[in-house]
Amino acid sequence: MGDSPPAPIPGDFFALLARHGSSPIPPGHANSLAPVETQATTVFGFHFADGAIIAGDRRATAGNVIVTDTIEKVIELDATSLLAIAGVPATAFEMARALQTSFEYFRRSQLQPLSLPARVRALSRALRDNLPLTLQGVGVVAPIFAGLDTTQSPPKPCLFFYDALGAQFQAVGFAASGSGANTVRSILGYQERFGNPRPSTLDRRAAVRLALQLLMIAAEFDSATGGVHPATQRYATLRLLTADGVENVPDAEQAAALEPSPAAP
Amino acid sequence: MTDEPYRWLEAIGQRREYVESRLHGGSPILAACLHQGLLLLGVGTGQSKVFEIFDRHAMAGIGHPADLERLRQSAIDAAHLEAFTRAPDDVSLRRLVSFGIAPTIKVAFEQLFSPPFLARTLFVELGATPTEDTLAHVDFDGTFAFQKGGCRILAEPGTDTGPAEAFLATHQRPEFTLPAAAQLLLSVWTHLTQGAALTTDATPPPRLAELIGSRTLEAGFLARSHRRAARYLALTPEQLGLAPSPTP
């Protein structure tokens, strides 16, 4: 028997990249003089009546410097999955790009979409592969993943959150990550337990409104969270995952959601 | 054999005859560039003739399923590697065919002790307008030809596609709706496979089941205006406005 390399896994884009020496996240070696990375964020997701809403502020910071207020932290991976990134953008965006290509590569080459458990594990594997940079404190990523469980009818949106080492957890009602996450988590926890109506029963307009208000509050307690500023037309990145797939919430709809409700007294 | 030029040429000639005989009976593929997008239409067994390759790229083919599969996989690998290492916009049909697919097919065809690709393929790329759409016909010997816009027929070797191409050039219009274009392409398909007259006057148009029997209509559509980067849609006969079977 020869020492031939193992056969590649069909449809595995990472195996294809490895064969061509193009792995996106090779084990890195950062030194103690590594530059300050841009990070800090508030991203979160919660279930509402029609599905799940995933929100993210648009600020990137490096230390006390605001790098930009226009980045997109909620990324559409494919027609049925979303990734909200919190942590070091350099690593997180590359992870998102690798997953985007990986999911589409599998669907096209195998003529069927990747299952939800496999997608969840793919992100977990990407985080685990990033372990060296995570342990050195220069490449930490703690994302939220939303995907459609197509084994149910109608397809059911599911939320997952991860720790920086790649452990995955399914969120029952909501998930939050980033430096402003504690504020959001506290409010959503209270609302889901004692609120009336609870977030999981809200309609689309009310869910969008709650998401924007949560970002406003998070920004008040966390300088690294960009918040929402209707006066200057600066809104958040909001995406919905429903049984029909991913949908973007445009600025105009966000603005309208913050207007007083016609039914309000 | 390979050090005697005559015997090599003779062997290549026999190989050509062999491949052409194996492609005999292949169901034709038709492509049309429309304002709405690029339509590929064929009749097969379901996921057997028309395939998505990348965001703006698709392929269709006739031939041995295993060889079509090898070519499809090779094109998908190359496109995704290029998109990941550079950018999705850098994936171009010209580079994919000229530097990847066609040379591979040519080498396989001319190396007498390796199996040739028993496949004739059509690769397409969606452009900004119908006239910027690119269609690449790649033959089993690695010969390829590019075309901008219009329509294209891919049929088994020896098929006289001249009248059908002239018919499409006269009657197919980029402004056609998807159902109108699909109906026209299907009428050309029945002409090529069943010798039906080329006409646009069939009112009402024949039911799909009357035309293709128990086989499956395979239609791939690259939508020109689409929110997502991946433009490919696999369309059903209902989405193309083609009634699948006679109403009782």
Side-chain angles (χ1 to χ4, degrees), chain B:
Chain B
M1 178 187 291
T2 52
D3 55 2
E4 295 179 49
Y6 170 73
R7 293 187 66 187
W8 185 81
L9 287 172
E10 189 180 47
I12 286 289
Q14 289 173 346
R15 172 172 278 229
R16 183 174 296 277
E17 287 173 17
Y18 163 70
V19 176
E20 287 180 349
S21 72
R22 294 299 305 272
L23 293 177
H24 182 70
S27 173
I29 305 283
L30 298 108
C33 303
L34 310 169
H35 285 315
Q36 282 181 272
L38 207 162
L39 177 64
L40 278 170
L41 189 139
V43 176
T45 58
Q47 289 199 328
S48 66
K49 299 192 80 68
V50 181
F51 303 101
E52 178 182 13
I53 297 296
F54 192 64
D55 289 353
R56 297 173 294 109
H57 300 82
M59 73 167 270
I62 57 176
H64 196 290
D67 287 331
L68 284 176
E69 189 56 35
R70 277 203 295 160
L71 290 173
R72 184 182 77 84
Q73 194 65 54
S74 171
I76 288 175
D77 282 3
H80 285 76
L81 271 174
E82 177 71 4
F84 187 77
T85 51
R86 293 196 174 90
D89 286 348
D90 291 308
V91 179
S92 80
L93 191 64
R94 184 183 59 79
R95 295 172 63 225
L96 204 60
V97 168
S98 307
F99 310 142
I101 304 292
T104 304
I105 295 175
K106 181 177 186 297
V107 167
F109 181 71
E110 292 183 346
Q111 286 191 348
L112 299 178
F113 297 106
S114 69
F117 285 92
L118 306 176
R120 189 171 243 195
T121 49
L122 182 66
F123 288 84
V124 297
E125 177 181 81
L126 186 75
T129 64
T131 53
E132 292 172 86
D133 291 343
T134 309
L135 300 93
H137 174 277
V138 187
D139 219 336
F140 59 81
D141 59 358
T143 308
F144 59 92
F146 289 103
Q147 170 186 328
K148 284 286 186 185
C151 298
R152 184 82 199 190
I153 298 170
L154 183 74
E156 63 174 290
T159 305
D160 179 14
T161 57
E165 283 169 353
F167 176 79
L168 283 176
T170 307
H171 293 94
Q172 172 64 37
R173 291 280 171 269
E175 57 270 22
F176 272 10
T177 61
L178 265 178
Q183 194 66 57
L184 193 70
L185 295 186
L186 198 57
S187 71
V188 172
W189 182 87
T190 53
H191 163 76
L192 292 169
T193 56
Q194 299 160 18
L198 287 166
T199 176
T200 57
D201 297 335
T203 35
R207 297 284 179 178
L208 187 59
E210 296 166 12
L211 298 177
I212 67 173
S214 59
R215 285 176 289 179
T216 306
L217 183 90
E218 295 184 25
F221 182 62
L222 292 164
R224 212 173 298 283
S225 59
H226 198 279
R227 189 183 65 80
R228 299 196 62 244
R231 306 297 186 87
Y232 184 88
L233 302 166
L235 299 179
T236 62
E238 289 79 8
Q239 289 171 312
L240 287 170
L242 301 169
S245 58
T247 48

Side-chain angles (χ1 to χ4, degrees), chain A residues 147-226:
Chain A
L148 269 189
D149 181 358
T150 53
T151 62
Q152 302 200 33
S153 182
K156 181 186 169 194
C158 299
L159 287 172
F160 298 86
F161 59 98
Y162 295 76
D163 72 9
L165 302 185
Q168 68 207 31
F169 309 92
Q170 183 164 4
V172 177
F174 58 87
S177 187
S179 54
N182 282 343
T183 307
V184 170
R185 206 177 287 123
S186 302
I187 298 172
L188 281 174
Y190 174 84
Q191 286 291 330
E192 196 56 50
R193 190 165 175 186
F194 303 110
N196 185 21
R198 290 180 290 120
S200 55
T201 63
L202 296 177
D203 64 14
R204 175 175 173 144
R205 177 190 161 96
V208 168
R209 183 183 175 90
L210 174 60
L212 293 170
Q213 289 171 337
L214 286 168
L215 278 173
M216 288 175 176
I217 298 298
E220 283 187 24
F221 292 96
D222 175 33
S223 63
T225 294

Side-chain angles (χ1 to χ4, degrees), chain A residues 13 16-17 19-20 22 24 76-79 94 97-98 101 104-105 107-111 239 246-248, chain B residues 47 51-56 69 72-73 76-78 80-81 83-87 227-232:
Chain A
F13 185 63
L16 178 69
L17 286 176
R19 285 208 304 279
H20 290 265
S22 301
E76 183 176 338
L77 295 181
D78 66 3
E94 193 65 358
R97 207 168 67 86
T101 314
E104 292 289 50
Y105 176 76
R107 183 179 62 78
R108 288 169 177 144
S109 65
Q110 305 301 302
L111 298 173
R239 298 197 201 281
V246 171
E247 192 181 339
N248 187 40
Chain B
Q47 289 199 328
F51 303 101
E52 178 182 13
I53 297 296
F54 192 64
D55 289 353
R56 297 173 294 109
E69 189 56 35
R72 184 182 77 84
Q73 194 65 54
I76 288 175
D77 282 3
H80 285 76
L81 271 174
F84 187 77
T85 51
R86 293 196 174 90
R227 189 183 65 80
R228 299 196 62 244
R231 306 297 186 87
Y232 184 88

